[in-house]
């Protein structure tokens, strides 16, 4: 048995899945690239069983696919699929924004406002990767506040499949400024307890994402 299989502090399968997911988003692993368990185990300091479990999780998310007699590889999500995924997100995230506007507390309003300020600062300072992370946090917090557990599961899977395209969009010159204004509008409507306006703002943002994907 390899030494790292016995390591008690080796990363768990969830940690390895997160690391592979981020590597796919950054382009470290290209579409259709083979993912060899032994190589991943060495790269991430994880056990083979941990890597195997991580690949199984990512396969369920649609980020990785199993090819008969070839093992695992990064699934190539086409532009057409990315647009379709964004269209489904538009409906589901619109629902979550509306529900969040109905349920948000004063403490959560302060949290979303603070997130908005951080996003504004990141864009102003040209910190694209930081803005991208704050973007993900905002979307997740809106879903959390909405209390829509079913929607949360759907969106987790959809975002995972779209992660590479979303990352590429974040690097398009001028895109963060456009995206920032859209996110601040969503925050404003949710914090104003305006469900219909919040849903419209969320849907407008996803329409913008779809148009940006088409342009890329």
């Amino acid at each position: 048995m390899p030494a790292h299989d016995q390591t008690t502090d080796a990363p768990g399968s969830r940690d390895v899945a997160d690391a592979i997911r981020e590597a796919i988003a950054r382009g470290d692993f290209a579409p259709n690239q083979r993912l060899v368990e032994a190589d991943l185990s060495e790269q991430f300091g994880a056990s083979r069983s941990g890597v195997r479990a991580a690949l199984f999780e990512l396969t369920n998310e649609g980020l990785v696919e199993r090819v008969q007699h070839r093992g695992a590889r990064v699934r190539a999500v086409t532009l057409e699929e990315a647009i379709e995924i964004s269209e489904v997100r538009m409906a589901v995230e619109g629902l979550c924004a509306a529900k969040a506007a109905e349920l948000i507390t004063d403490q959560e309003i302060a949290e979303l406002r603070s997130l908005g300020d951080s996003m504004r600062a990141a864009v102003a300072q040209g910190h694209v990767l930081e803005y991208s992370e704050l973007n993900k946090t905002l979307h997740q917090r809106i879903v959390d506040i909405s209390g829509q557990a079913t929607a949360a599961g759907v969106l987790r899977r959809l975002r995972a499949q779209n992660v590479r395209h979303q990352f590429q969009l974040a690097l398009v010159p001028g895109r963060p400024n456009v995206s920032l204004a859209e996110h601040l509008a969503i925050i404003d409507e949710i914090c104003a307890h305006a469900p219909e306006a919040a849903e419209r703002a969320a849907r407008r943002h996803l329409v913008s994402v779809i148009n940006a994907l088409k342009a890329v």
Side-chain angles (χ1 to χ4, degrees), residues 2-13 15-16 19-20 36-51:
H4 50 243
D5 274 346
Q6 300 172 336
T7 304
T8 55
D9 60 352
S13 61
D15 296 327
V16 179
I20 296 172
V36 181
E37 286 182 10
D39 294 344
L40 295 172
S41 177
E42 182 176 348
Q43 180 173 347
F44 297 112
S47 67
R48 290 285 290 271
S49 60
V51 168

Side-chain angles (χ1 to χ4, degrees), residues 95-109 112 141-149 189-195 198:
L95 167 68
C96 291
K99 291 293 185 180
E102 292 174 3
L103 299 172
I104 194 166
T105 64
D106 289 345
Q107 182 178 344
E108 289 164 341
I109 286 173
L112 290 196
R141 286 301 295 133
I142 291 171
V143 175
D144 293 342
I145 293 166
S146 77
Q148 296 289 302
E189 302 300 358
I190 290 175
C191 292
H193 297 284

Side-chain angles (χ1 to χ4, degrees), residues 76-158:
V77 176
T78 66
L79 178 60
E80 290 73 18
E81 282 182 281
I83 290 170
E84 192 174 307
I85 288 167
S86 298
E87 289 171 342
V88 177
R89 280 184 57 196
M90 181 166 60
V92 180
E93 293 200 32
L95 167 68
C96 291
K99 291 293 185 180
E102 292 174 3
L103 299 172
I104 194 166
T105 64
D106 289 345
Q107 182 178 344
E108 289 164 341
I109 286 173
E111 182 187 351
L112 290 196
R113 292 289 189 199
S114 177
L115 259 176
D117 290 342
S118 297
M119 292 170 80
R120 191 183 283 110
V123 171
Q125 295 162 16
H127 296 162
V128 176
L129 298 184
E130 181 185 347
Y131 173 72
S132 182
E133 286 302 311
L134 290 166
N135 183 343
K136 286 196 299 186
T137 301
L138 174 63
H139 280 274
Q140 185 58 54
R141 286 301 295 133
I142 291 171
V143 175
D144 293 342
I145 293 166
S146 77
Q148 296 289 302
T150 302
V154 170
L155 288 171
R156 193 177 304 115
R157 182 182 177 91
L158 293 176

Side-chain angles (χ1 to χ4, degrees), residues 54-76:
L55 291 176
F56 181 78
E57 179 180 337
L58 295 172
T59 300
N60 285 338
E61 289 181 6
L63 263 184
V64 169
E65 62 183 352
R66 294 278 180 176
V67 182
Q68 195 168 12
H69 308 307
R70 297 286 303 276
R73 70 180 183 188
V74 178
R75 192 170 83 82

Side-chain angles (χ1 to χ4, degrees), residues 177-193:
N177 285 290
V178 175
S179 171
L180 173 65
E182 294 164 357
H183 285 105
L184 294 179
I186 296 170
I187 291 172
D188 284 344
E189 302 300 358
I190 290 175
C191 292
H193 297 284

